[in-house]
Amino acid sequence: MALPVSCVAVRGSIGVSLGQGPPSYEPVKSFPKDDSKTCKAMVFSPEGSYFAWVNGMSAKILHCDTWKVAIEIKRPKISAIQFSTRGTYFMTWEPFIATQSNPQGTPNLHIWKSESGELMKSLIQKKQSDWEPQWSSDEKLCGMLIGANVVLYEDVNFKKIAHRINIAKVANFSISPNNTPYYILCYMPGKSGQPSFGRLFQYPKFESTQALANKSFFQADRVNIYWNNIGTNALLMTSTEVDKTNASYYGKQTLHYLSTKGETSMVMLSKKGSIHAVQWSPKNTEFCVVYGFMPAKATLFNLKCESIFEFGALHRNSIYYNPQGNILILTGFGNLRGGIELWDVGKRKLIAKTEAPDTTLLQWSPDGEHFMTATTAPRLRMGNGFKIWHYTGTLLYERPWNEQEELWEVLWQTFPPNTFPEKTISYKAVEGIAPSQPQASKQAYRPPSARGETDAKYAVVCPFKDTTKIKKKTKKVKKEPEASASSQSHFNNPNTNGQVTTSTKNQLTTANVPECDDLERSKKIKRIKVKLEQISKLKEQLVAGKQLEINQLDKIKKEADLLNELEELAL
């Protein structure tokens, strides 16, 4: 029996559309394309039965086998949506509103039956971050964080709370992705001067003395929880907003391991600096971590938290396993160039390298052979579009976006587990296409005062249309007047390519730092330069015989670390 073809859903300022993946890339004719300019969200159900989106007037749910509308929920304020683990239930969130006449507000989180649209539960959830109720993989258990307590319901009986975790303040929790027995991992922040805890419980035993595993730690403003696919092992990444040692402007992270057998450990990392990414292998017996000052290290660990393979040090900050777990992508996006490494995990061997500059989104196809990269707004407003690649690093398809339109999101269609078996890895590149667009990230960032003319823009093409017909056209952009720093956008501006002029008066003699193509990184470099200038003045005072305060002497000691960070940011 032939394997199904995974479709690709696209959401942007021209609506929501659907196209077939490799090899045809043709539009799905039976899909009811939505041309609304206010499509706020879209999602496939985890097991692949449904597809849903919100268009500013209603939420629509379609059957993926026919692409026909199953239900429509006419609530224009819906901003976020999600399905339960098996797709049986559909959850919607709307901005919370309280008025003088109704200071308590009205329920803004709703749980519906996906097939019928029957409303199952309504409640208040003020914050959009982590708003989604959590479900066990069999949907027998549903949990929500309400206040500082975890509230748990059984068998979709929302009229009765089955259990409540309230032995301490809970800031975050996660239900394991396995069937019975269920495990729940909670992050319980400590009071001032007291440690925080990660506590692992087996449902429904929630007394502190009944915890299967306890991991204590200090300095945690937030915690991210990562389970392996079978729910037997978990990782806690603790993060602080500010590193009190001043070693990093990104704060400080630590990684902790817990298992349902009661084992705990701190994952020891061999390079100082931030933890950029953590990912479990779908094979469940190892995990990968990218960490340290740039160039960052990438290390594979086993369940004993022992290093079993080093991928070397490069400029990277992201990890993506394919669904089968036999191929691993290591890459660097954001303020990095977008170099992509594809590794054969079993053989610990590099398959291929390629580049996808300005990528804001990467996702593997369910078949484990193809992956998609996209440049999306609002993170980047220039060069929007997406590309589909083969795991040998070959570009197969690209869809550039009209410069007047924005691409917001691209999603692969989901399928039930084990639909696509693991295939033997080939190291021979398949036939592909050459990219039609220039790599904009290689152009230097230009401040408003130094902006000039730009050219080489590309013509409009429709979603999922053959890109071999793309033609170049040139367009002159008038030179902009000088603008104040306060008027700069946080995101890329269409008129930022060209040369950069800098005053030698503002350049530090301690390091030769090129201009950044990322505004955020430029700000960090500027802050470091200010600190180095302060240290330089303190050193002059010290040489002149002035007695300095202890904190001023400590500041001088940090000069070497600041220079190292400045050099790494400039790469």
Side-chain angles (χ1 to χ4, degrees), residues 291-318:
Y291 59 97
F293 295 119
M294 294 296 164
K297 293 187 71 174
T299 303
L300 209 57
F301 294 90
N302 61 17
L303 295 182
K304 295 181 180 179
C305 298
E306 300 168 334
S307 170
I308 56 176
F309 185 74
E310 296 283 356
F311 293 95
L314 285 172
H315 288 75
R316 50 164 88 101
N317 57 18
S318 303

Side-chain angles (χ1 to χ4, degrees), residues 347-387:
K347 294 182 178 179
R348 313 285 198 248
K349 185 177 178 182
L350 185 67
I351 302 170
K353 285 187 175 183
T354 187
E355 286 192 359
D358 299 332
T359 293
T360 58
L361 174 68
L362 186 150
Q363 188 181 19
W364 277 99
S365 165
D367 65 16
E369 295 185 71
H370 303 90
F371 65 96
M372 169 271 298
T373 62
T375 301
T376 57
R379 178 64 184 87
L380 289 175
R381 299 191 186 275
M382 275 190 70
N384 280 195
F386 70 93
K387 300 176 181 179

Side-chain angles (χ1 to χ4, degrees), residues 381-410:
R381 299 191 186 275
M382 275 190 70
N384 280 195
F386 70 93
K387 300 176 181 179
I388 295 177
W389 308 74
H390 188 258
Y391 69 80
T392 54
T394 301
L395 178 63
L396 301 176
Y397 173 83
E398 66 174 351
R399 157 56 169 113
W401 231 244
N402 184 323
E403 63 181 14
Q404 279 77 40
E405 306 292 350
E406 293 182 351
L407 172 64
W408 299 332
E409 188 179 13
V410 186

Side-chain angles (χ1 to χ4, degrees), residues 320-323 327 329 342 363-366 368 370-371 391 412:
Y320 301 92
Y321 278 96
N322 72 343
I327 302 175
I329 286 178
L342 294 120
Q363 188 181 19
W364 277 99
S365 165
H370 303 90
F371 65 96
Y391 69 80
W412 287 101

Side-chain angles (χ1 to χ4, degrees), residues 61-220:
I61 301 178
L62 277 67
H63 287 289
C64 289
D65 54 351
T66 61
W67 304 116
K68 302 297 183 185
V69 176
I71 64 164
E72 182 175 3
I73 301 170
K74 294 184 178 181
R75 296 186 69 93
K77 295 182 180 179
I78 294 175
S79 298
I81 54 178
Q82 189 56 267
F83 283 96
S84 58
T85 47
R86 290 189 174 182
T88 310
Y89 305 99
F90 180 62
M91 300 165 284
T92 63
W93 183 91
E94 304 168 14
F96 176 75
I97 298 175
T99 61
Q100 287 185 345
S101 59
N102 183 18
Q104 301 299 320
T106 55
N108 61 323
L109 192 163
H110 307 283
I111 302 175
W112 319 77
K113 274 192 176 181
S114 302
E115 185 63 35
S116 63
E118 177 187 350
L119 182 61
M120 304 295 294
K121 176 70 174 177
S122 295
L123 64 154
I124 291 176
Q125 184 66 276
K126 295 183 180 180
K127 296 181 180 179
Q128 187 172 359
S129 58
D130 301 321
W131 67 271
E132 306 96 328
Q134 294 188 36
W135 300 78
S136 59
S137 59
D138 58 7
E139 298 182 340
K140 297 283 187 182
L141 192 65
C142 180
M144 306 178 202
L145 186 62
I146 299 179
N149 299 332
V150 178
V151 174
L152 297 158
Y153 300 93
E154 289 181 349
D155 299 317
V156 205
N157 180 8
F158 292 113
K159 295 180 180 180
K160 177 185 177 183
I161 296 175
H163 297 279
R164 189 188 296 265
I165 304 177
N166 57 2
I167 55 172
K169 178 182 177 181
V170 179
N172 192 9
F173 82 103
S174 181
I175 300 175
S176 61
N178 62 299
N179 291 329
T180 55
Y182 309 116
Y183 300 102
I184 298 177
L185 182 53
C186 297
Y187 160 49
M188 300 172 173
K191 298 179 181 178
S192 179
Q194 299 296 316
S196 300
F197 284 93
R199 288 199 167 111
L200 179 60
F201 300 98
Q202 180 177 323
Y203 182 84
K205 302 174 182 178
F206 299 125
E207 295 297 325
S208 56
T209 56
Q210 296 175 308
L212 297 178
N214 280 287
K215 194 73 181 73
S216 62
F217 41 84
F218 288 90
Q219 297 182 338

